[in-house]
Amino acid sequence: MSAERKPAVDGPRSSESETRADATPPSRSQPLGMTPLPAASDARTENANAEGTAWLGTVLGLAAWTMFFASLAFAVGWYRMREPWPTLPVSLLGLSLTGLLLLVGSAVLHLGLRRRESPWPARGALLLGLGFLALQAMWTHQAWWTEHVRIPEGGVSASAFHGLTALHALHVLVVTFNLFLVCWRHTRGADVRASLRRHVLGWHFVTAMWVLLFVAVYLP
Amino acid sequence: MSLLSLDHKAVARRYLWSGLGFLLLGGLLALAIRWQWAWPGRSVPGLAWALPESHGALTPPTYTAVFTMHGLVMIFFAVTPLLFGALGHFVLPLAIGARGLAFPRLSALGYWVYALGGVLMLASFAVRLGPASAGWTAYPPLSTSAFTPGLGQTLVTVAVLCAGTSAFTYGLNFVVTVARCRAPGMTWGRLPLTVWGLFFASVLNVVFVPVLAAATVLLLMDRLLGTQFFIAGAAAVGGGGDPVVYQHLFWLFGHPEVYILILPAWGMVGDLVAFFSRKPAHGYRLTAGAMGTVSALSGLVYAHHLFTSGMSPLLGRTFMVLTLLISLPAEVMFLNWLMTLWRGSVRLTSPMLAALATMVVFGLGGITGLALGAVATDVPLHGTLWVVGHFHLTMGAASFLGLFAGLYFWFPKMFGRALHEGLAKVHVLSSAVLFLGVFGGQLAAGYAGQLRRLYDPYQYTYLKHLLPLNQWTTVCAFLLGAAQVVFVVNLVWTLRRGRAAEANPWQVGTLEWTCASSPPGEGNFTQVPVVLRGPHALSQPEVLEQLGRDWIGQAEVLPGVAREGAGEEALATVSTVRSVT
Amino acid sequence: MSTSVEEKSQPSSDTPTSTSTSARTLALPEDASVDGHRIDALLGWSHRFEAGMAALALGWMVVAVWRFRGSKRAASDGGTKRSRAWVLGLALSTFLVVDGALLVGSEGYLRDVLWNLDVPAKDPRTVRIEINAHQWSWEARYAGEDGRFNTPDDVVTWNDLRVPAGVPVWVQLVSTDVVHGFSLPNFRVKLDAIPGRVNQTWFRAAREGAWEVACYQHCGTSHYRMRGELRALSAEAYAAWLREAGRQAVQAYDVDDSAAHWGWEWKAP
């Protein structure tokens, strides 16, 4: 990190440029007003602190990112107010069962966090996530090829169905991948409890956003 | 090497150099626009290499690209990165007594995302059909591929998304840092106003950048995948979407964005005015509260940008009332600044001059915005250069001068060298006066009806008589550009052979000046300071009496005054802080 | 550089052009509408207030810097309860006076004019015009003598609006391609033309004359050329023009030219 400090004095000093002789090199100058009190610190609280900070960051970040989906829902809501929204040719039951996978994953992960050591809840959720993605892919595939809900012919409702499903699936993909990384690190013996706690938040987030998606786009 | 360093000061320096580079680019683009309005269709001096076919003259398509890129470069790649990326990254942890940002890797990543966006912006100039040209607002359907084909518009849209992502990351980082990493004793009531400004602006970043991301992603899908979100009713393209949705989403982000650009500057002005009046800021809580109120209201006023879009009267009236309401906290804040000057001992240093200049241009910018907040008076002024002058005074000139106030103030801390004070003053004063000339001229032209974004305004008979005015304005703009040379000279000279900065050149008590070296080392402080008082403890009688100076460090124990008492109080704070966590 | 275009599009008749009267730089464009003076007056008032505010703030700042520059002693407090109350009071009273005046004045104009479509709807003399904005021109449609749109006698003009003076003109506005902005600077009229929706507004010309139609939303490369002309005629001249143009339109009507039949059933307010 020493490269960070490029203080004026370290280099070969050109003597003629100086107006005031440096009694103390700037990088070392002890400021006048400093008589700090000793501050206690120990490693464990520091660690807990860092964990708490990361957790807060995750919570706030996800909460703020809700605005992304809220904006998408706002847009779709606007279209739905303008004109009647066509019923999706895809089975609503199938779509809700797909979403159920995320909900189940949320429950599994939530309960799994209480039972400390077992890696299985996270692995189970991993499967559920992949299953969700596969099923969503299947529904969109069916809508596109069998039911001819296409872009751009299908207008704004088809755009919303395919576009928002894809955007949400992208988020699920990221969350699932993160979960995979956590599982992987766990198998290599790392302590992942704190990071698992954070990634579970991500899972809850995509689950909640799926509900929003369902209400905004899928419901007739 | 420093390029890989995660230290907040290294990241700040990266943002500083990139931001200044883009500021130069944005400024040159602005000069090209101004040239066009003064001498339409004539060759821009020095541009022949870029536009050989027209011998350096702007053609209508180049012109549209130039003003579009000017706006985007300035907002997303110059002013925001300089205020947050450079000053925010550097000052915020130091000022609250933190050893770094809460998430150092996130902040470094944020810079690289921003840099990627910057590269895409620059690359867009080189592709066929040129860069984006649908205006910085990129209203669809114009910004869809049906009307603006070419890779440039897409690249730039992605670049904006990158800049937004980076803004989201540092916004989140700042919020969490302020919430979690303050030094013991650094209560919310002892934060410098700069930190308050950065904090509120970061909250706005975090909340509203996702809205921009949504609008931009939908637009990108319309461009690339053929979705129909914003394509409507047009014979040429069909579609069942609605371009107005984009306008709402865009301005729901866009209006808070203008506060994002000015809040850090407000905070700095609040601090600097107190520092250089050598007295505590008047109504510290009121000022911080006013900034918070403005931030809270900022997302609720956006639709005044859409007064002429045919919204329902109910919405129009609501947004008119909300918009006018936001001027109240701004007035409280401004009056507090003025009251801080009163009965002080004013020192006209270069940061103070810049802060005062910020007040002047911001004051005029705010006042000229009032008429735009009411529907009836907005009608004649909407879409004219009046609007352009108004928002350039606030988020252009005021942010710029606020930025330089901060840069002149913290430069010795950043680089350990002192800038030449005389050159700095010349730069600030000439910039301020010329800003008033440029944007005052635009206000006048706009009042007389000159519409924005016209390649040749004099196509219109009713604007013909504005040519001389525009020429004068352009002269001011070029002089303004020339004035920046003073800064560059000062910067280069100081970095190469400037004198070493004193430890506390401005004689203020905030943590970065009193507890850290210049420049601060890794971890910022040898010991994390324990804060005992607010940021503006200036001219306190007991300090004058005992220390013989008019300032005292935020973490400095006043000798004699019950060392135990003060210490215990601080330690008690420490223990409560720890027990909370 | 555009003189030839200008000269071609200047009205050939002896109607006055706007240049002759509104060549002052620091003034709004000449007001040629019946109701626009209310906006102008409101703006005038608001400018007086704003100038007052600016003078107060700037003067205060200059005096403070002048008087307290380098003074020996500085106050040690961050304001007293009283001084803070003064700040709040001053801010609140300025806000109430300045913003209040703007709000009340604006509201009056909105209620009586801008959003009061009852005036054109109830006036039997009202002229209705459908305008279709294109990249880069204004296509205007008059109902013709039968009073209905999208019929053979519709009069369609390009960049050429004609209205009778003193009579409400009710405009409904669409766009074919991108967002345009329909503005009549001399009539204090501005309205977005947005694909997929019909916007409407109305105005009254105070006197006969020729003025300009301008586009105020960036709509592509030739945005700056999207200029139209508006001529306010006497009632008789207008009626004569409409009759003659309608007669020609019927003759030129082509059933198969579907692109020309973009008109719509007049929308209720």
Side-chain angles (χ1 to χ4, degrees), chain B residues 17 43 58 98 193 226 256 275 279 301 341 372 389 403 427 449 483 490 501 522 526 560 575 579:
Chain B
W17 300 132
S43 301
L58 293 183
L193 289 168
F275 291 156
K279 73 189 265 278
V301 303
L341 288 169
L372 299 171
L403 169 75
H427 173 235
N490 198 357
E522 196 183 351
T526 40
S575 54
S579 62

Side-chain angles (χ1 to χ4, degrees), chain B residues 209-416:
Chain B
V209 164
V211 181
L212 171 74
T216 312
V217 164
L218 292 181
L219 182 60
L220 269 179
M221 293 207 286
D222 276 4
R223 278 189 75 78
L224 298 173
L225 307 177
T227 54
Q228 304 265 298
F229 294 111
F230 304 135
I231 297 172
V237 284
D242 191 347
V244 179
V245 179
Y246 178 88
Q247 298 185 6
H248 277 271
L249 287 180
F250 183 85
W251 286 115
L252 180 54
F253 153 78
H255 200 74
E257 172 71 10
V258 309
Y259 289 102
I260 289 172
L261 289 170
I262 193 66
L263 270 164
W266 285 354
M268 286 179 223
V269 169
D271 271 342
L272 294 176
V273 165
F275 291 156
F276 295 109
S277 301
R278 311 309 296 171
K279 73 189 265 278
H282 185 270
Y284 169 91
R285 277 155 185 268
L286 273 181
T287 307
M291 289 199 278
T293 314
V294 169
S295 310
L297 282 173
S298 70
L300 302 174
V301 303
Y302 74 91
H304 59 237
H305 294 268
L306 305 176
F307 276 160
T308 62
S309 73
M311 341 191 243
S312 79
L314 177 68
L315 274 182
R317 288 196 170 95
T318 313
F319 279 103
M320 171 163 69
V321 172
L322 286 167
T323 301
L324 292 175
L325 212 56
I326 210 168
S327 68
L328 179 58
E331 280 167 27
V332 170
M333 191 182 58
F334 202 94
L335 286 172
N336 267 334
W337 296 341
L338 289 175
M339 287 295 280
T340 306
L341 288 169
W342 204 254
R343 295 192 304 134
S345 169
V346 178
R347 315 278 160 88
L348 291 179
T349 58
S350 57
M352 179 62 160
L353 278 178
L356 293 175
T358 309
M359 281 172 66
V360 173
V361 291
F362 171 72
L364 289 177
I367 283 172
T368 50
L370 282 171
L372 299 171
V375 180
T377 42
D378 178 60
V379 169
L381 302 176
H382 195 95
T384 64
L385 283 192
W386 177 275
V387 177
V388 177
H390 153 69
F391 76 75
H392 275 82
L393 276 176
T394 51
M395 63 186 249
S399 302
F400 180 95
L401 289 168
L403 169 75
F404 274 92
L407 200 59
Y408 284 135
F409 185 72
W410 282 295
F411 190 89
K413 184 53 61 181
M414 288 178 111
F415 296 95

Side-chain angles (χ1 to χ4, degrees), chain B residues 183-197:
Chain B
M186 179 58 91
T187 57
W188 289 91
R190 289 173 179 169
L191 292 175
L193 289 168
T194 306
V195 175
W196 273 116

Side-chain angles (χ1 to χ4, degrees), chain B residues 234 282 317 327 345-346 459 461, chain C residues 6 68 70-71 83 99 107 212:
Chain B
H282 185 270
R317 288 196 170 95
S327 68
S345 169
V346 178
Q459 288 276 314
T461 317
Chain C
E6 288 303 333
F68 297 106
S71 66
S83 72
D99 294 45
E107 177 56 35
E212 286 168 299

Side-chain angles (χ1 to χ4, degrees), chain B residues 12-38:
Chain B
R13 216 164 302 173
R14 272 171 237 158
Y15 272 117
L16 179 65
W17 300 132
S18 325
L20 286 176
F22 277 108
L23 190 63
L24 175 67
L25 172 65
L28 291 175
L29 290 172
L31 292 185
I33 304 173
R34 280 294 347 164
W35 177 272
Q36 174 63 25
W37 289 344

